[in-house]
Amino acid sequence: VTLVAFNYSGELLATGDKGGRVVIFQHEQESKNRPHLRGEYNVYSTFQSHEPEFDYLKSLEIEEKINKIRWLPQQNAAHFLLSTNDKTIKLWKISERDKRAEGYNLKDEDGRLRDPFRITSLRVPVLMPMDLMVEASPRRIFANAHTYHINSISVNSDHETYLSADDLRINLWHLEITDRSFNIVDIKPANMEELTEVITAAECHPHQCNVFVYSSSKGTIRLCDMRAAALCDRHSKFFEEPEDPSSRSFFSEIISSISDVKFSHSGRYMMTRDYLSVKVWDLNMENRPVETYQVHEYLRSKLCSLYENDCIFDKFECCWNGSDSAIMTGSYNNFFRMFDRNTRRDITLEASRESSKPRATLKPRKVSTGGKRKKDEISVDSLDFNKKILHTAWHPKENVIAVAATNNLYIFQDKIN
């Protein structure tokens, strides 16, 4: 699984995978006779979004792996979502059909066209009920606008435009126009040997359609205002935490790279995830974050081996709960971390088949960093770095979370007493 995303109402949950498929789960309505089930998520629709391609000019294989999915706000009975692989963005329409027309004049029931001379009377076609079908159809294909791999797409609050970002550029698209986009950020130097940073993530502001942010591999975030200029090369705000010289090491630059940036629902704060921590920034204060949460500080002593096995380049995502009072992000050993912003309490939970029988309560996990290990703790050396939770999503209204652990999707909800 390469990403998880709830739609605006939380009724649908989309996942993308390495094979280019999108699977959508639907929240079942609660039944009176089994209230303890509280609405399961069941498969609603599965479709192949992207196929493997080959770029003949560059002799490059383009993976079908889905990088991002973003839902559009629902305007009518159908649902729309944007999905992207490294190069091509597609707009999909997911709609239901439970009736079909019968009694055509110009064709038989099996679909063959009738000879016009045989038609002697006019029939009025009627709609007959049929089994519910969920259809996914591609409505737009936005291609050929990115030289580098797309790492982010974000739907703007005007619901008409969206942006897509790769390593060096950010493009602004109109949802109706597929053959051109506007390049609004370009950090490509004239000489590629002078390249010092790349764009790692970008997101539109949830309420102001002219504001967006993008983060860089140097650990900085730039907030841009599209009203200022057509090309947002000059940022309006620049968020950076001054580095502590005492803790500088060979790995400082790598672990300060930001892997995800997310605005809070209120639009007042944004959250950034780097390798070891999550930071919450107030948009009105650029010089330092207002909150910093250590995700797995115990890995600081292990950075050398994490560099050797390439784990240090893992890109963890982060997400807000519906009321912006808590945040969640992933770690190794299938652990994921939640932080309560009001009480400053945090909890580590594990998504694993052994520990998560349906309806079981998750036990908090602890990692011991040295000395004697208590009986429930797990030592740093026995953490499995192949099991990692990079993608998580929080229901926009309820305490329901979706956690992707490699090839499993876990859905947890708070327990009603």
Side-chain angles (χ1 to χ4, degrees):
V1 180
T2 56
L3 83 131
V4 284
F6 283 100
N7 72 342
Y8 281 74
S9 67
E11 185 209 352
L12 299 178
L13 169 68
T15 65
D17 68 17
K18 267 201 142 125
R21 278 181 320 174
V22 173
V23 181
I24 299 175
F25 299 86
Q26 184 182 37
H27 196 214
E28 294 295 327
Q29 296 308 311
E30 296 177 32
S31 57
K32 291 267 187 337
N33 46 6
R34 294 193 303 173
H36 61 278
L37 284 183
R38 267 191 69 215
E40 302 267 311
Y41 277 86
N42 293 324
V43 175
Y44 177 65
S45 173
T46 304
F47 59 94
Q48 188 73 29
S49 174
H50 287 72
E51 306 279 353
E53 294 172 58
F54 192 78
D55 184 337
Y56 295 100
L57 293 175
K58 298 198 178 85
S59 294
L60 271 183
E61 281 188 50
I62 301 168
E63 281 190 302
E64 66 271 42
K65 169 177 152 286
I66 309 276
N67 290 350
K68 283 281 183 287
I69 287 178
R70 288 289 176 264
W71 290 92
L72 273 61
Q74 191 175 0
Q75 312 281 7
N76 52 26
H79 296 272
F80 288 87
L81 58 83
L82 288 165
S83 67
T84 181
N85 66 351
D86 285 339
K87 297 286 183 194
T88 306
I89 306 162
K90 295 186 180 180
L91 174 69
W92 289 89
K93 176 184 182 180
I94 295 100
S95 51
E96 294 183 354
R97 266 222 333 241
D98 59 356
K99 293 185 176 62
R100 68 166 185 268
E102 283 185 6
Y104 287 104
N105 288 290
L106 298 176
K107 55 186 179 185
D108 290 321
E109 297 309 326
D110 56 4
R112 281 184 306 199
L113 283 174
R114 295 166 67 182
D115 181 0
F117 295 107
R118 283 187 25 236
I119 303 172
T120 54
S121 60
L122 276 179
R123 294 191 285 181
V124 178
V126 288
L127 286 175
M128 301 294 285
M130 60 179 243
D131 291 341
L132 179 70
M133 259 177 64
V134 180
E135 296 177 313
S137 52
R139 301 313 298 262
R140 306 259 185 288
I141 294 178
F142 308 88
N144 306 328
H146 285 279
T147 317
Y148 307 96
H149 291 180
I150 298 172
N151 56 43
S152 307
I153 48 178
S154 177
V155 180
N156 208 340
S157 59
D158 60 13
H159 304 162
E160 287 187 0
T161 55
Y162 73 92
L163 56 84
S164 60
D166 65 22
D167 290 349
L168 296 178
R169 296 191 180 101
I170 300 176
N171 291 335
L172 182 72
W173 299 84
H174 193 285
L175 283 162
E176 300 289 327
I177 302 169
T178 57
D179 59 352
R180 66 174 181 271
S181 62
F182 293 100
N183 179 221
I184 51 173
V185 173
D186 186 351
I187 63 166
K188 185 180 179 182
N191 178 6
M192 281 296 269
E193 285 170 8
E194 293 165 9
L195 184 68
T196 56
E197 64 179 336
V198 294
I199 298 168
T200 55
E203 194 179 49
C204 296
H205 191 281
H207 311 305
Q208 296 167 3
C209 61
N210 50 288
V211 172
F212 68 95
V213 292
Y214 67 94
S215 58
S216 89
S217 54
K218 277 191 164 172
T220 61
I221 308 104
R222 291 173 175 84
L223 181 138
C224 302
D225 189 335
M226 288 186 265
R227 294 173 302 186
L231 191 61
C232 303
D233 280 351
R234 289 203 196 87
H235 46 264
S236 310
K237 292 187 176 183
F238 183 74
F239 300 85
E240 181 177 31
E241 186 167 31
E243 192 185 26
D244 177 11
S246 63
S247 65
R248 180 154 179 79
S249 72
F250 169 74
F251 303 109
S252 294
E253 276 193 15
I254 303 174
I255 63 171
S256 68
S257 173
I258 292 173
S259 56
D260 196 16
V261 57
K262 290 265 175 32
F263 277 109
S264 64
H265 294 82
S266 67
R268 169 76 191 265
Y269 299 97
M270 66 178 172
M271 161 170 57
T272 59
R273 170 74 210 255
D274 56 43
Y275 190 63
L276 293 178
S277 64
V278 171
K279 293 171 182 163
V280 175
W281 302 78
D282 187 324
L283 290 192
N284 301 328
M285 189 166 101
E286 298 167 57
N287 57 351
R288 62 189 166 83
V290 285
E291 299 157 32
T292 301
Y293 302 96
Q294 301 303 333
V295 178
H296 36 217
E297 186 61 23
Y298 46 79
L299 294 182
R300 201 176 279 279
S301 58
K302 292 260 175 289
L303 291 177
C304 199
S305 55
L306 288 164
Y307 178 75
E308 282 163 6
N309 65 13
D310 273 357
C311 282
I312 201 166
F313 301 108
D314 284 334
K315 293 183 166 40
F316 291 97
E317 294 172 9
C318 52
C319 64
W320 300 85
N321 71 342
S323 61
D324 297 335
S325 62
I327 55 185
M328 169 170 60
T329 190
S331 178
Y332 292 103
N333 207 62
N334 279 356
F335 287 172
F336 58 99
R337 305 266 286 137
M338 297 165 113
F339 304 93
D340 187 314
R341 295 179 58 210
N342 301 326
T343 61
R344 291 302 173 108
R345 283 169 50 223
D346 63 279
I347 189 169
T348 305
L349 299 169
E350 181 182 5
S352 73
R353 286 209 155 160
E354 297 74 58
S355 67
S356 59
K357 297 180 182 64
R359 316 282 151 244
T361 307
L362 290 184
K363 291 193 186 68
R365 302 298 305 258
K366 285 251 184 328
V367 177
S368 75
T369 45
K372 272 181 65 180
R373 194 168 97 231
K374 300 197 183 84
K375 81 170 170 61
D376 279 346
E377 293 188 334
I378 179 168
S379 81
V380 180
D381 298 316
S382 54
L383 292 174
D384 186 344
F385 292 112
N386 292 321
K387 293 181 177 171
K388 50 192 103 167
I389 289 182
L390 303 176
H391 315 285
T392 58
W394 207 311
H395 190 294
K397 299 186 176 78
E398 298 169 31
N399 276 332
V400 175
I401 58 170
V403 174
T406 319
N407 53 356
N408 292 319
L409 174 71
Y410 295 90
I411 297 179
F412 301 109
Q413 57 191 22
D414 64 343
K415 198 154 187 173
I416 298 291
N417 295 325

